[in-house]
Amino acid sequence: MQSFIWITKELRGGSLALLPGAKLLERSSDILSAKLTKLQSANPNNNTNNNNNNYHHRHRHHETSTEDSSSMISVLYSLWETHDHNVIVTMMLSAYTWASGLYSSVPDYAVIDAALGLWTLLHIFVASTYLTVADAFYKKTLLQLHYKLIAPLYSKPLLIPIVNFFTILLTARLCYYAYHHDEDGRATLRAVFAVHTWACSIMMQRMSSMLVKLGVDYAMNVEKDIEKHDIKAWKAPPKWTSWIFSPPNIVLRPVLTGAENIPHDKPGFYVMNHALYGLEMAPFVATVYNQTNVFLRGLSDHFHFGQLHGEMIRFFGGVDGTRDNVDCLMENQDNILVYPGGGNEIMKPCDVPRYTLMWKQRLGFARMAIKHGYPVVPCCSVGTEDMFDRIFDIDLGFMRKGFKVPVSAPILPHKLQRVYFWVGEPIPTAHLNGDWQNDEAAREIRDKVRASLEAGIQEMLEKQANDPNRYFLNHIGNSVAALFGCGPCAVTTKTVEDSEPVPASKKAD
């Protein structure tokens, strides 16, 4: 009762009288004091009166606090059942006598570690549901699981404030013990961790309460709206960032053919073949940007945006390749780069010849171009696939039907060579008047783009075969020969795949 006497006195004219809500706390203190008196009078074995005479004795103080703790728990249960919101703050303030007795004993580190560990795991899960980007395929599943775990907790009155109260109590106990009694540093380490956990819990509870109030679908829609805003607000990075691609370009020495076909008066939908492992995308975007000042925003697979490198892709304009995002890009009049072959071309199996288009019967890019009247600009890349010699495939059909991952031999110095980029003449779609659901029109646009792209691949293969500086070692040798006034040297590197013609069945998938 000592603490209630002090609180009531201070609220009625002492140092706490100036606090906001002091009158409410004064009434709450009276209510709680009456409840405690009633509980103590019903327990003849209660030694509360004797406790005041021995208040300064540490051992006796610990026993008193233990007895008071049963009263505190009883009042806590009573408040829980009656939903008495007016006295909850006073109850927390009055816990000083009980809590100070706990501080005098050695903490049970095993229990503390278990509590902090479980609390931290919950925080990690909650944080992951929000840090995961909206376009990750498992985003909604995480939010639904988060909702199912948290919603029942928020349906219980006062449960969250009580949990917060005991979290603060545990943190305060560890800090007290670490300051006064810790000699080996164990309590100090746990005190720091408890303070961090308590601070994180404030943010996590805020995010969880928003999810419970808004619902999973609303939260997903909000994140998608934020994503659309980010897509439209994005600006091309400064050209000095191209130094990131400078080291590989020393070896790749990209050559761009058909730069005059890139439209500058209107945006375009650039359709390109994916080379093995997708190594051509970044050099192509950087080369076009440096030579024409046109930045292409690439459409990427959902997989990338659920990974750590997703933010790097976003920085360089990458967007998850959903139709909603493409609509947003085209409404924003952005230049877009798409790979209809996607992961199939990146992971070409050993039995598929180099530079084979694996589009299947996809019409998506054609429909989107027709819908917004975008001209389709065919592009291609040749060179990177010739550096790899595929040895065998790893069958991952359990993940996706027919999915295989090719395993290649290490790239040896004599295989390093130049890459050749080609841009064809734009194919207009404005004359179709936005009839994007017309399958025949979409199929016609797709076939035109495909034929143009395959012709560009053949043109680049011929250019590659006639280039004396194709291989990096040739380039070094010719540069040295030119320095000393000698003729160019020729070093040929031919593999079994180089001599294999591309069968018609593979071209048509």
Side-chain angles (χ1 to χ4, degrees):
M1 294 296 296
Q2 190 74 16
S3 59
F4 297 109
I5 295 173
W6 177 83
I7 290 173
T8 304
K9 177 181 177 182
E10 294 297 318
L11 287 172
R12 286 175 177 169
S15 59
L16 297 181
L18 299 178
L19 289 176
K23 293 296 183 182
L24 175 61
L25 291 176
E26 179 183 341
R27 292 195 299 271
S28 301
S29 178
D30 293 338
I31 295 171
L32 187 57
S33 298
K35 289 190 177 183
L36 275 178
T37 303
K38 183 178 180 180
L39 287 171
Q40 291 168 353
S41 62
N43 184 7
N45 296 325
N46 196 300
N47 298 322
T48 305
N49 294 328
N50 295 330
N51 293 340
N52 296 330
N53 299 326
N54 302 295
Y55 183 78
H56 296 289
H57 296 283
R58 184 173 181 177
H59 181 69
R60 185 59 182 164
H61 175 74
H62 178 65
E63 293 179 355
T64 300
S65 301
T66 304
E67 293 167 358
D68 283 350
S69 66
S70 62
S71 299
M72 288 293 298
I73 294 174
S74 299
V75 174
L76 182 64
Y77 181 78
S78 175
L79 292 174
W80 173 269
E81 292 296 322
T82 60
H83 300 169
D84 197 342
H85 295 264
N86 293 331
V87 298
I88 187 67
V89 176
T90 305
M91 180 199 70
M92 293 181 179
L93 290 173
S94 65
Y96 170 77
T97 305
W98 174 52
S100 60
L102 291 177
Y103 293 171
S104 62
S105 60
V106 178
D108 188 342
Y109 291 125
V111 174
I112 291 173
D113 291 345
L116 292 177
L118 291 174
W119 205 236
T120 301
L121 288 177
L122 178 61
H123 288 171
I124 292 174
F125 170 73
V126 173
S128 66
T129 61
Y130 288 96
L131 294 178
T132 301
V133 294
D135 24 24
F137 67 92
Y138 51 85
K139 171 73 174 186
K140 190 171 184 178
T141 303
L142 282 178
L143 283 176
Q144 290 173 339
L145 181 58
H146 181 190
Y147 183 87
K148 290 180 180 179
L149 290 175
I150 300 299
L153 301 180
Y154 280 86
S155 66
K156 305 294 183 182
L158 301 180
L159 177 59
I160 300 301
I162 290 172
V163 171
N164 289 337
F165 167 64
F166 282 102
T167 303
I168 296 173
L169 186 64
L170 172 63
T171 304
R173 180 193 179 188
L174 287 172
C175 292
Y176 178 91
Y177 192 85
Y179 182 77
H180 291 282
H181 305 286
D182 192 23
E183 296 178 356
D184 55 4
R186 292 190 300 168
T188 300
L189 177 62
R190 288 165 174 82
V192 173
F193 195 78
V195 171
H196 177 266
T197 302
W198 172 65
C200 290
S201 68
I202 298 174
M203 297 182 289
M204 300 305 167
Q205 288 175 30
R206 178 63 176 168
M207 292 190 293
S208 297
S209 64
M210 290 176 62
L211 177 63
V212 172
K213 294 174 183 177
L214 299 177
V216 174
D217 292 334
Y218 189 89
M220 284 293 296
N221 291 334
V222 168
E223 290 214 29
K224 288 180 179 179
D225 289 341
I226 294 174
E227 182 182 24
K228 289 181 180 179
H229 174 271
D230 292 341
I231 290 174
K232 292 183 177 181
W234 179 89
K235 301 296 182 183
K239 282 194 173 182
W240 62 263
T241 56
S242 60
W243 67 266
I244 297 175
F245 307 103
S246 296
N249 282 350
I250 295 174
V251 176
L252 299 179
R253 297 165 293 125
V255 174
L256 179 62
T257 302
E260 67 278 2
N261 293 324
I262 295 177
H264 289 77
D265 57 337
K266 54 186 175 182
F269 202 11
Y270 295 75
V271 180
M272 192 173 187
N273 68 310
H274 240 327
L276 189 65
Y277 305 131
L279 300 180
E280 83 296 332
M281 182 174 182
F284 177 69
V285 172
T287 301
V288 172
Y289 188 37
N290 287 332
Q291 296 190 20
T292 67
N293 204 36
V294 173
F295 197 96
L296 307 181
R297 303 194 65 178
L299 302 181
S300 301
D301 192 84
H302 310 290
F303 165 80
H304 296 291
F305 296 98
Q307 311 302 320
L308 294 176
H309 63 277
E311 290 305 313
M312 180 62 72
I313 295 177
R314 290 180 189 276
F315 176 78
F316 286 104
V319 176
D320 184 20
T322 64
R323 291 197 175 186
D324 288 341
N325 288 344
V326 174
D327 283 332
C328 185
L329 288 169
M330 290 185 169
E331 290 170 1
N332 203 42
Q333 296 292 293
D334 286 322
N335 291 284
I336 307 170
L337 175 63
V338 64
Y339 294 88
N344 294 325
E345 291 181 357
I346 290 179
M347 298 298 175
K348 288 187 182 72
C350 293
D351 58 346
V352 177
R354 292 183 174 120
Y355 307 113
T356 300
L357 300 183
M358 303 176 68
W359 292 5
K360 298 181 179 179
Q361 300 300 319
R362 293 174 178 168
L363 298 173
F365 76 89
R367 293 186 189 277
M368 298 306 295
I370 294 172
K371 181 178 181 180
H372 295 272
Y374 258 58
V376 181
V377 184
C379 312
C380 75
S381 169
V382 168
T384 55
E385 287 195 15
D386 293 292
M387 300 184 196
F388 296 97
D389 288 324
R390 292 168 289 180
I391 304 174
F392 62 91
D393 298 324
I394 299 176
D395 191 351
L396 298 179
F398 64 91
M399 297 179 60
R400 189 174 67 190
K401 185 178 179 181
F403 182 60
K404 298 179 180 180
V405 175
V407 177
S408 301
I411 301 178
L412 298 178
H414 70 279
K415 298 287 290 184
L416 297 173
Q417 56 189 285
R418 170 173 282 167
V419 294
Y420 304 85
F421 299 131
W422 173 86
V423 179
E425 294 184 2
I427 299 174
T429 62
H431 63 283
L432 297 173
N433 299 319
D435 188 13
W436 62 278
Q437 294 181 324
N438 187 333
D439 291 345
E440 191 64 31
R443 193 174 295 109
E444 179 183 357
I445 294 296
R446 181 201 63 190
D447 293 343
K448 286 183 178 179
V449 174
R450 181 176 187 130
S452 177
L453 206 154
E454 288 179 335
I457 291 176
Q458 294 300 321
E459 181 181 339
M460 291 300 100
L461 288 174
E462 294 175 2
K463 185 172 184 176
Q464 178 193 58
N466 297 320
D467 186 359
N469 292 316
R470 169 186 175 182
Y471 293 99
F472 184 62
L473 294 182
N474 286 24
H475 170 65
I476 295 177
N478 291 335
S479 299
V480 173
L483 182 63
F484 290 97
C486 303
C489 62
V491 179
T492 59
T493 303
K494 191 173 183 179
T495 63
V496 175
E497 286 189 90
D498 291 332
S499 60
E500 291 180 354
V502 178
S505 60
K506 291 297 181 182
K507 289 185 178 180
D509 291 326

